[in-house]
Amino acid sequence: GAVVSQHPSWVICKSGTSVKIECRSLDFQATTMFWYRQFPKQSLMLMATSNEGSKATYEQGVEKDKFLINHASLTLSTLTVTSAHPEDSSFYICSASRTGVDYNSPLHFGNGTRLTVT
Amino acid sequence: GNSVTQMEGPVTLSEEAFLTINCTYTATGYPSLFWYVQYPGEGLQLLLKATKADDKGSNKGFEATYRKETTSFHLEKGSVQVSDSAVYFCALSDRRGGTYKYIFGTGTRLKVLA
């Protein structure tokens, strides 16, 4: 159990266009989802915390108007990279936490999305 | 603030060698500690966890003990296999007010040679 599906697994887009990445919890409800960006030297940076039915909480230095997050249901959060530029090329990973659990419980991760902006 | 520090890699070992990947943390409260593993091109998977001092997490031959006195959670395996080649992340989670937050180390790449 506790499967998180992330789609697409890879995407190539042109500079200036927008790209939407979906994160779904398939067999559990997730009030909270987290979006990470992974840099080439594997470091994992938390971008934002997505809460169902409310605005996302962004980490310092992350542009909320560029990285739009929507968490419209208990099983789906989306990250939209707007007006993408080559420097946005990266590996984006979502994770979800079961509704009702506390911080002793682990996160469940999607398989990531490789975004390449040309 | 809370933080996690892990040894830099890559760590290169021969098959059946003993593995240790160091992880230390700083936290103001009583965090839970985790090790996650990431195989190439994939997301992270939980490897093991410990939720209080002196707890030992174990899975697939890997072990880590929550040491409050040294604020450490070192990952060990007695005999590594080529299939263990991956990136390993140490992480903590802690409660902040009514919410909680996960903090990850920078990851340690392990290469196991046949």
Side-chain angles (χ1 to χ4, degrees):
Chain A
V3 177
V4 175
S5 173
Q6 191 172 337
H7 178 80
S9 55
W10 60 270
V11 58
I12 302 172
C13 70
K14 292 187 176 180
S15 188
T17 62
S18 295
V19 173
K20 181 185 284 188
I21 302 170
E22 292 187 348
C23 180
R24 293 181 185 274
S25 56
L26 298 186
D27 52 359
F28 66 99
Q29 293 184 334
T31 305
T32 303
M33 291 186 176
F34 303 89
W35 286 95
Y36 294 87
R37 181 174 177 175
Q38 188 169 32
F39 292 93
K41 289 202 170 182
Q42 81 217 9
S43 172
L44 210 60
M45 181 192 82
L46 176 64
M47 299 175 65
T49 302
S50 167
N51 296 293
E52 186 268 337
S54 64
K55 290 184 178 180
T57 303
Y58 290 82
E59 295 299 303
Q60 193 171 6
V62 178
E63 299 177 61
K64 61 180 181 181
D65 294 330
K66 180 167 187 60
F67 298 99
L68 300 178
I69 291 173
N70 184 280
H71 194 156
S73 78
L74 285 171
T75 59
L76 174 65
S77 176
T78 60
L79 167 68
T80 302
V81 182
T82 62
S83 186
H85 291 283
E87 57 265 31
D88 298 325
S89 298
S90 194
F91 194 57
Y92 294 87
I93 306 176
C94 73
S95 67
S97 179
R98 282 181 185 270
T99 298
V101 300
D102 63 12
Y103 69 104
N104 289 321
S105 300
L107 295 178
H108 307 288
F109 285 83
N111 276 344
T113 297
R114 171 71 60 191
L115 170 63
T116 302
V117 184
T118 61
Chain B
N2 295 350
S3 66
V4 175
T5 303
Q6 33 182 135
M7 60 189 291
E8 287 192 24
V11 174
T12 303
L13 296 173
S14 297
E15 207 164 23
E16 298 184 2
F18 184 86
L19 168 71
T20 300
I21 300 178
N22 290 338
C23 172
T24 57
Y25 68 92
T26 58
T28 53
Y30 298 92
S32 289
L33 302 174
F34 306 87
W35 277 101
Y36 287 84
V37 58
Q38 183 181 31
Y39 297 102
E42 298 182 8
L44 279 67
Q45 303 172 26
L46 176 68
L47 182 59
L48 53 83
K49 71 171 188 176
T51 58
K52 61 183 187 296
D54 300 324
D55 266 4
K56 177 187 282 188
S58 61
N59 185 26
K60 299 180 181 179
F62 291 89
E63 293 183 342
T65 301
Y66 190 143
R67 301 285 189 202
K68 197 169 189 302
E69 64 276 13
T70 55
T71 62
S72 65
F73 193 53
H74 304 321
L75 182 68
E76 297 182 337
K77 186 174 185 182
S79 176
V80 294
Q81 305 300 312
V82 172
S83 58
D84 294 326
S85 298
V87 180
Y88 293 82
F89 290 89
C90 185
L92 70 82
S93 70
D94 198 6
R95 186 184 301 281
R96 292 188 182 184
T99 63
Y100 51 93
K101 198 165 187 175
Y102 292 83
I103 297 172
F104 286 83
T106 54
T108 302
R109 183 175 301 278
L110 170 66
K111 296 181 182 178
V112 181
L113 306 176

